[in-house]
Amino acid sequence: RFTLWGAEAEGGWSSREEQLLLDAIEQFGFGNWEDMAAHVGASRTPQEVMEHYVSMYIHGNLGKACIPDTIPNRVTDHTCPSGGPLSPSLTTPLPPLDISVAEQQQLGYMPLRDDYEIEYDQDAETLISGLSVNYDDDDVEIELKRAHVDMYVRKLKERQRRKNIARDYNLVPAFLGKDKKDKEKTPKRKITKEEKELRLKLRPLYQFMSCKEFEDFFENMHKERILRAKIRELQRYRRNGITKMEESAEYEAARHKREKRKENKNIASSKRGKEEGKEGEFAAIENLPGFELLSDREKVLCSSLNLSPARYVTVKTIIIKDHLQKRQGIPSKSRLPSYLDKVLKKRILNFLTESGWISRDAS
């Protein structure tokens, strides 16, 4: 036994400890060094147990004699390098989110799994939940099951891709309202309304670009607009004969004065046009006698009835005089002119009533 193990001569391990080590590796399995150390004895630490087993039974003479150089039926890793279409890194979970327990409950987030109660494509697992490998499956059934597994893997990659986008663009803090506090701490350039609309139009690019790439792209577009506006301004200076920046200040001051005068002139002309338009409404009666005695409302009435101001004043005087005599109890007989028909009389009576010249019962 001592010749077989050679333990006491090489590492100070007794034959009893060697026997317990072999029993432990069979009972607890490779890798459970804490349990194996407890089984061997309190004098051996997990690190000592691991180093002794690896040196003696794997890399030692016993391991070389028992473990063949070429292992048959070894599984070959066909995955691509990191980032490829079959790379395991595409579904590698990210570090858990640093949020409080209440926020985890609000999101339905499980930090130890970096998972949510409701995931993208929640029913994706139904593709493989009922699959089983049977020895009597024919080629068509095997290929069909492989297709289901491939569909499931694609759904997992899409799910993880969406999580990566949400993590990269800080969508979870934005949902919880934490991004507003961060913006207050680190104020950036104020974004105009046009730039906000442009961001909404460029939102589909989020899935193809990282957050930093998109921000750099957006800032470059902003710089491009500024440069284009500056180029147009310099071209305008050149067309007006300005070749030095010192001359541009004087030119801008003169241009501002010209535009101000032009604006004032347009305002004055628009006011004058309105006044002329108002007078143009009464062009048919403004030159007739008595026009200056009428109010604006009476001018509109006479213009709509096609009635001269003098005739209107006559009818108005007769109607008001008769109304006053009736209120005083004096009997009077109305002597309205013959050119006043029933329609004109009714329109004038309604107007005088609405204006308060006569009472409604009299009309």
Side-chain angles (χ1 to χ4, degrees), residues 186-218:
T186 57
K188 295 183 178 180
R189 178 180 61 84
K190 187 175 181 181
I191 298 177
T192 61
K193 181 180 179 181
E194 293 76 11
E195 289 178 332
K196 289 182 180 179
E197 294 176 353
L198 181 61
R199 269 185 182 272
L200 292 177
K201 292 180 181 178
L202 296 177
R203 183 171 288 181
L205 296 179
Y206 285 11
Q207 57 182 325
F208 305 111
M209 305 172 70
S210 65
C211 183
K212 185 178 184 307
E213 290 175 344
F214 181 81
E215 292 297 333
D216 293 341
F217 172 69
F218 191 77

Side-chain angles (χ1 to χ4, degrees), residues 212-273:
K212 185 178 184 307
E213 290 175 344
F214 181 81
E215 292 297 333
D216 293 341
F217 172 69
F218 191 77
E219 287 299 322
N220 289 335
M221 292 183 65
H222 174 67
K223 292 178 182 178
E224 180 190 8
R225 287 195 297 272
I226 293 177
L227 291 174
R228 287 183 180 275
K230 188 65 176 178
I231 289 172
R232 288 194 296 268
E233 182 182 12
L234 294 175
Q235 289 175 344
R236 179 165 55 83
Y237 288 162
R238 180 59 62 88
R239 286 194 300 268
N240 288 277
I242 298 174
T243 57
K244 296 181 180 180
M245 292 302 297
E246 294 79 7
E247 303 173 354
S248 62
E250 184 179 355
Y251 168 76
E252 288 294 338
R255 186 174 67 87
H256 179 71
K257 290 180 181 179
R258 288 196 303 270
E259 291 180 353
K260 195 69 177 176
R261 286 198 300 268
K262 186 177 179 181
E263 183 180 354
N264 294 335
K265 185 177 179 181
N266 291 336
I267 293 174
S269 62
S270 62
K271 289 182 179 179
R272 188 166 54 252

Side-chain angles (χ1 to χ4, degrees), residues 285-298:
I285 60 174
E286 61 181 352
N287 295 322
L288 298 178
F291 179 78
E292 67 279 359
L293 302 176
L294 304 180
S295 64
D296 292 339
R297 293 186 61 201
E298 290 176 327

Side-chain angles (χ1 to χ4, degrees), residues 41 52 54 105 122 142 160 183-184 218 265 283 292 333 336:
H52 179 73
V54 171
Q105 295 175 353
Q122 183 73 6
I142 293 174
Q160 189 63 37
K183 289 179 181 178
E184 293 176 358
F218 191 77
K265 185 177 179 181
E292 67 279 359
K333 185 177 181 181
L336 293 175

